[in-house]
Amino acid sequence: MLNGMRLFPASLSISIAAMMALGVLLGQSSRQEEAEDYYKKWIEQDVVYLITEDELEVFESLTTPEEKDAFIEQFWKRRDADLTTEINEYKEEHYRRIAFVNDRYGSGIPGWKTDRGRIYITFGPPDETEYHPGGNYKRKPWEGGGRTNVFPFEVWTYNYIPGVGQDVEVEFVDRSMTGEFKLALYPWEKDINLHVDGEGLTTAEKLGLASRAQRPGLHPGNLNNMDFMRRMMGVRRKDLPMERALQYFRLQRPPEIKQKELQKIVDARVSYQVLPLNLDASHIWIDESNALMPITMQIANKDLQFEQRDDRYLARVGVYGKVTSMTGEVIAEFEEVLNSQYAEHQLEAGRTQRSVFQKIVAAEAGRYKIELVAKDLNSGNLGTSTRSIFIPAMEADHLVASPVVLAERLDTLEGIPERPETFVIGDVRVIPSVTRKFHPDDDMGVYCQVHNVQIDQSTLSPSVEVEYEIQRNGRLQARFTDRSGSSINYASPRRMVLVRSIPLSDLKEGDYELIVRVNDLLSGQKVVTKSRFKIQGS
């Protein structure tokens, strides 16, 4: 023991022990967006051209990550043409299109933001493509004939677009000569000589049978002169101003979907209130790219049915869980039976307790969806819960802290168990408070790991100051400062484990935030990690 700190050999560290126990070889993964930014990016970039106004209104009304993840899942299912396959072909194709346009059409701005990118993402590749590099151009008969000079332009032809029409021609013009082709409303927008007197005349204009002002879209009066345009200027019906305007408008809309069951989307987060349960997940880094993901479920015993078995009363809960990546890859599946049993004289008190289940899954840095189903095997009642979790990559050579685990029970063991045990991380048994709700007479356990702390080679220990601060509505309520290292359970150059019990007796009922601040006095680096909790009456 040095300054209240227990030092163990590096070979017994939780990262190595856990990896060997789980037998998992984990690859590398790059940093992804912060959790809150994921939903913003999904709305403002990933599906900005697909999502309907009604869907957007529903999504913006959702408040929890679980609701939003359920919405996203149903969003893609509603567009999947073949629900019998595991792969959502629509979603796969959509992200392929985004990658394609970002590679092909970027011009100072990302390809997905350009007009060509938007049309390609929304409607897919055209059936025919016509490209003109600019310069001298001979107009087609329906454009009026004659020659002129034009900006670079492209014409995409789609045989059919649902909600838009058949034989759809979409024209893009690079008027800025920068490579950014913008969607054109009228065919005259590519004409460099449009406002040059005597230049670039159509056949009818050369013969004196029409004037430039009569070209479709150049003057409001044209809208009432459609017979003249078709007869004297060779304009096709689909090139008439009103038809072009309608097509332009339709191309701005999201592609059609078959059904609009928005209420089902909101309710896709199935939650059987017959068996209420709480689900929580956190992460503990193993290295820069890999982590352990403790998944914890809690059920109140009062919601379970106890059956007498000899001289004991037994409740049994079947648990099935699945962890998937955001691409649908199954990372882990697990199935367990949770037993809670009491003698007859213990049953009344036992019903006031909670049954807790935990599964630790190894995962790369990234975003995951956790789905869990629990069944009371005595009554048949079901409960389900879904939660998302984002595991960021750990910054190398920077002081970083894992999420704070608030525990209803926190015990330091004599040593690291020879084999993995439920709720045990290293030599600490951590039973998380899944609801983060405590009573005023409770002591709240705090577990946190800090990485890349410097070690004083003369003492083989870190030199840190740890501050535990409790706030309510941004106002300080309590502060506990550890300068002696009494809350350090383990330390090595790679990882420092903080274990602390905080009394709550001086706090009133309400919502609070715990802020853990760590100051590495050797490196000068600081890190902060937080967690919210609630104090409620007995």
Side-chain angles (χ1 to χ4, degrees):
M1 299 285 291
L2 293 174
N3 297 325
M5 174 185 66
R6 183 183 295 106
L7 292 175
F8 292 150
S11 61
L12 293 180
S13 67
I14 175 60
S15 60
I16 301 301
M19 289 181 69
M20 292 181 65
L22 292 171
V24 178
L25 296 176
L26 299 170
Q28 298 296 312
S29 176
S30 61
R31 174 181 295 275
Q32 297 189 8
E33 302 84 9
E34 292 296 331
E36 293 182 0
D37 292 340
Y38 169 76
Y39 300 113
K40 187 174 187 290
K41 175 181 177 293
W42 189 80
I43 281 292
E44 296 182 359
Q45 179 174 333
D46 289 16
V47 299
V48 64
Y49 304 134
L50 304 187
I51 194 164
T52 66
E53 291 183 6
D54 288 342
E55 287 175 319
L56 182 59
E57 182 179 354
V58 171
F59 185 84
E60 290 177 342
S61 71
L62 304 178
T63 58
T64 68
E66 292 74 33
E67 289 176 326
K68 292 178 180 179
D69 286 339
F71 179 99
I72 292 172
E73 181 180 5
Q74 291 299 314
F75 178 91
W76 293 117
K77 281 185 177 179
R78 294 171 68 213
R79 291 161 170 80
D80 189 5
D82 187 358
L83 296 176
T84 63
T85 62
E86 293 185 4
I87 297 176
N88 187 320
E89 292 82 2
Y90 185 98
K91 180 180 177 181
E92 293 282 323
E93 170 63 11
H94 176 71
Y95 282 104
R96 183 203 67 78
R97 293 178 186 179
I98 291 177
F100 176 84
V101 301
N102 283 338
D103 180 64
R104 181 69 63 88
Y105 300 135
S107 57
I109 61 174
W112 69 269
K113 284 189 174 183
T114 65
D115 282 357
R116 286 185 298 177
R118 176 172 60 81
I119 296 299
Y120 189 97
I121 290 171
T122 307
F123 304 110
D127 296 296
E128 295 181 22
T129 303
E130 182 181 331
Y131 173 73
H132 293 271
N136 191 268
Y137 171 67
K138 182 180 180 181
R139 293 190 190 91
K140 295 176 180 177
W142 54 85
E143 293 177 315
R147 287 187 174 273
T148 188
N149 291 313
V150 295
F151 297 103
F153 72 95
E154 291 184 6
V155 180
W156 294 3
T157 302
Y158 291 87
N159 294 335
Y160 175 69
I161 299 179
V164 179
Q166 294 180 333
D167 191 24
V168 178
E169 291 182 2
V170 187
E171 189 165 284
F172 305 92
V173 180
D174 180 15
R175 294 180 60 85
S176 64
M177 305 289 287
T178 62
E180 183 180 354
F181 288 71
K182 292 183 176 292
L183 181 64
L185 177 56
Y186 299 113
W188 315 111
E189 294 183 30
K190 59 180 174 285
D191 195 340
I192 294 178
N193 297 321
L194 184 60
H195 301 292
V196 180
D197 290 341
E199 297 293 331
L201 300 179
T202 66
T203 300
E205 290 165 359
K206 282 184 177 180
L207 297 174
L209 302 175
S211 67
R212 180 172 293 172
Q214 291 174 307
R215 293 186 189 180
L218 290 185
H219 190 277
N222 290 344
L223 299 179
N224 299 318
N225 199 14
M226 298 191 184
D227 287 339
F228 172 80
M229 287 184 228
R230 297 188 67 185
R231 178 169 46 85
M232 297 301 298
M233 304 185 70
V235 174
R236 299 169 301 183
R237 182 172 185 83
K238 66 179 182 180
D239 295 319
L240 294 173
M242 286 300 296
E243 295 295 328
R244 297 276 298 203
L246 283 173
Q247 175 179 297
Y248 189 88
F249 168 75
R250 289 167 181 157
L251 289 172
Q252 314 298 318
R253 298 184 304 193
E256 288 187 341
I257 53 179
K258 294 181 179 180
Q259 53 185 338
K260 293 185 178 182
E261 300 175 353
L262 296 177
Q263 190 60 42
K264 288 186 178 180
I265 294 175
V266 179
D267 294 340
R269 178 179 57 102
V270 181
S271 179
Y272 292 91
Q273 295 304 317
V274 175
L275 184 59
L277 58 87
N278 293 294
L279 174 65
D280 194 26
S282 186
H283 73 267
I284 300 168
W285 280 303
I286 296 174
D287 55 31
E288 285 81 2
S289 302
N290 306 302
L292 299 177
M293 184 196 308
I295 301 168
T296 309
M297 180 199 74
Q298 178 181 286
I299 299 177
N301 284 351
K302 65 180 179 62
D303 296 318
L304 299 176
Q305 180 173 308
F306 285 81
E307 291 187 351
Q308 187 173 3
R309 302 286 179 89
D310 298 325
D311 61 341
R312 313 290 289 181
Y313 285 83
L314 177 66
R316 300 182 306 132
V317 179
V319 179
Y320 167 79
K322 181 171 68 173
V323 181
T324 55
S325 69
M326 296 311 291
T327 61
E329 178 186 2
V330 177
I331 303 301
E333 282 186 287
F334 49 88
E335 190 172 14
E336 303 282 350
V337 175
L338 179 63
N339 294 315
S340 298
Q341 59 180 339
Y342 300 93
E344 184 174 1
H345 69 278
Q346 299 172 323
L347 183 58
E348 184 176 352
R351 291 186 186 277
T352 66
Q353 303 300 312
R354 295 176 293 275
S355 294
V356 185
F357 164 84
Q358 187 178 83
K359 183 71 174 181
I360 297 180
V361 174
E364 297 179 349
R367 178 177 293 279
Y368 298 95
K369 176 183 177 182
I370 303 167
E371 298 173 281
L372 192 141
V373 179
K375 181 178 182 179
D376 185 335
L377 299 179
N378 292 337
S379 69
N381 292 338
L382 285 172
T384 69
S385 186
T386 303
R387 180 168 297 276
S388 64
I389 180 173
F390 172 71
I391 304 176
M394 182 178 69
E395 292 187 61
D397 303 323
H398 285 79
L399 194 67
V400 293
S402 66
V404 174
V405 177
L406 301 183
E408 58 183 44
R409 181 177 173 184
L410 202 60
D411 300 320
T412 301
L413 307 178
E414 292 297 325
I416 298 177
E418 293 183 1
R419 62 186 63 184
E421 293 184 13
T422 304
F423 304 111
V424 174
I425 306 173
D427 68 333
V428 183
R429 177 174 284 108
V430 184
I431 300 182
S433 174
V434 178
T435 61
R436 297 183 179 88
K437 295 179 181 178
F438 299 88
H439 298 300
D441 55 350
D442 289 338
D443 285 350
M444 181 174 69
V446 178
Y447 180 92
C448 177
Q449 292 196 4
V450 181
H451 295 258
N452 303 322
V453 65
Q454 286 200 11
I455 299 294
D456 188 330
Q457 296 304 309
S458 63
T459 63
L460 298 179
S461 64
S463 179
V464 298
E465 181 179 271
V466 184
E467 186 176 83
Y468 303 87
E469 187 174 288
I470 295 177
Q471 292 186 3
R472 184 178 185 184
N473 297 325
R475 296 184 178 182
L476 180 65
Q477 303 296 310
R479 179 183 288 135
F480 306 90
T481 302
D482 175 14
R483 295 186 176 89
S484 66
S486 61
S487 58
I488 300 176
N489 171 264
Y490 168 86
S492 74
R494 295 285 296 172
R495 187 181 71 261
M496 180 176 70
V497 178
L498 301 178
V499 176
R500 176 85 186 213
S501 182
I502 297 179
L504 305 176
S505 55
D506 294 335
L507 302 178
K508 300 178 181 179
E509 294 184 17
D511 297 320
Y512 292 87
E513 183 175 46
L514 172 71
I515 304 173
V516 181
R517 308 178 194 274
V518 180
N519 181 10
D520 187 342
L521 300 177
L522 296 177
S523 68
Q525 296 187 66
K526 300 179 181 180
V527 69
V528 177
T529 184
K530 307 175 182 180
S531 184
R532 296 186 178 276
F533 66 96
K534 185 182 186 72
I535 296 179
Q536 60 186 19
S538 301

